Amino acid sequence: MPGPFPLNTATVNECLTELKKIQETKEFKSVIDLMTDLAISNDKNTWSVIYQIMRDADSGRLSWALHKEILSSTISILTKVGDSKSYRLIINYIKTLDKNIPFGAIELISDLLPTFAEMDPEEIIKIASQKDEIRSAIGIIALSKLAIENKLSSEQKVTIRNVFSDNNNQRFYMKDIIESTLHIMEDQEKGASFLQGEDLEKIFS
């Protein structure tokens, strides 16, 4: 008899064990696609797996070094669901993040944050202002994308300038990103045209 959890498993932990086994196989994508559909339809068992993955990411039982496919796919699922519950799961993960993660993971999270309708720029500003270099980097990149795409109020842009000017994050080339963003914001105020997608990619690559 099929189990109630994804991959026909009987429990959350059994599902996670199976996901770890197949994360580097062709089967993995189809499983993630199915989990995405189930999450969107609010399947409680799929959400139990998602919550456990995020808890394990927070505790370090799942790491970006060993479980990149599982973690990145879960972040992607949350983005595709796109509701306040999904947004809060990612934000809470960022706020408690106290372990090193690769720059690719920082970019992924930063790229996807602005896609949430629930996203609060003021909350991201607080994250960017933190002394922790990883959390700060996530906030800085997310804010840079919002600023470059002209999705911030005049007051928020003033605040971001102050935050960026005071930032001492020496990791992940934050200085270059900050300088490029401030330059583009100045051009916007002068009426210069906004950057196209391929030009945005050059700044964050």
Side-chain angles (χ1 to χ4, degrees):
M1 179 178 177
F5 292 89
L7 287 165
N8 292 325
T9 50
T11 66
V12 169
N13 287 335
E14 185 180 327
C15 181
L16 287 178
T17 298
E18 292 303 311
L19 284 173
K20 290 175 186 177
K21 289 179 181 178
I22 68 165
Q23 66 176 329
E24 295 183 5
T25 69
K26 293 180 180 179
E27 180 186 0
F28 185 73
K29 183 182 182 303
S30 62
V31 171
I32 292 302
D33 289 343
L34 176 59
M35 287 181 63
T36 300
D37 292 339
L38 290 170
I40 290 172
S41 64
N42 207 29
D43 177 73
K44 65 177 183 180
N45 290 328
T46 300
W47 274 102
S48 294
V49 174
I50 291 171
Y51 281 125
Q52 189 60 53
I53 288 173
M54 296 306 290
R55 282 193 291 267
D56 286 355
D58 186 51
S59 69
R61 285 190 292 271
L62 287 175
S63 71
W64 287 92
L66 298 176
H67 311 104
K68 177 183 69 174
E69 298 299 331
I70 293 174
L71 293 176
S72 61
S73 296
T74 301
I75 297 293
S76 179
I77 290 173
L78 293 173
T79 306
K80 290 175 181 176
V81 174
D83 59 6
S84 58
K85 173 174 63 177
S86 302
Y87 173 69
R88 293 257 51 102
L89 271 175
I90 295 178
I91 286 295
N92 289 339
Y93 170 66
I94 296 169
K95 287 182 175 179
T96 58
L97 187 59
D98 59 358
K99 299 170 182 64
N100 283 324
I101 64 173
F103 186 62
I106 291 172
E107 283 189 305
L108 173 68
I109 297 168
S110 304
D111 283 345
L112 296 180
L113 270 181
T115 67
F116 283 94
E118 299 275 343
M119 198 203 71
D120 178 9
E122 300 297 332
E123 190 166 38
I124 307 303
I125 288 171
K126 291 179 181 177
I127 292 172
S129 302
Q130 294 189 19
K131 292 183 178 180
D132 180 89
E133 291 178 320
I134 293 177
R135 293 196 292 268
S136 172
I138 292 172
I140 288 169
I141 296 174
L143 287 175
S144 294
K145 290 180 179 293
L146 289 172
I148 291 169
E149 294 170 5
N150 210 31
K151 293 181 178 179
L152 297 168
S153 68
S154 298
E155 293 79 9
Q156 288 167 343
K157 287 182 179 180
V158 171
T159 302
I160 287 171
R161 284 193 184 91
N162 293 333
V163 170
F164 282 7
S165 297
D166 294 338
N167 189 276
N168 294 315
N169 194 331
Q170 301 298 315
R171 296 178 67 182
F172 311 117
Y173 306 102
M174 287 300 104
K175 182 179 179 181
D176 293 343
I177 291 173
I178 286 172
E179 288 179 352
S180 297
T181 303
L182 291 175
H183 179 71
I184 291 166
M185 289 170 67
E186 289 177 5
D187 286 346
Q188 288 176 350
E189 290 180 351
K190 297 174 183 177
S193 59
F194 301 145
L195 293 181
Q196 300 299 314
E198 59 270 20
D199 296 317
L200 287 173
E201 290 300 320
K202 292 177 183 177
I203 295 175
F204 301 106
S205 61

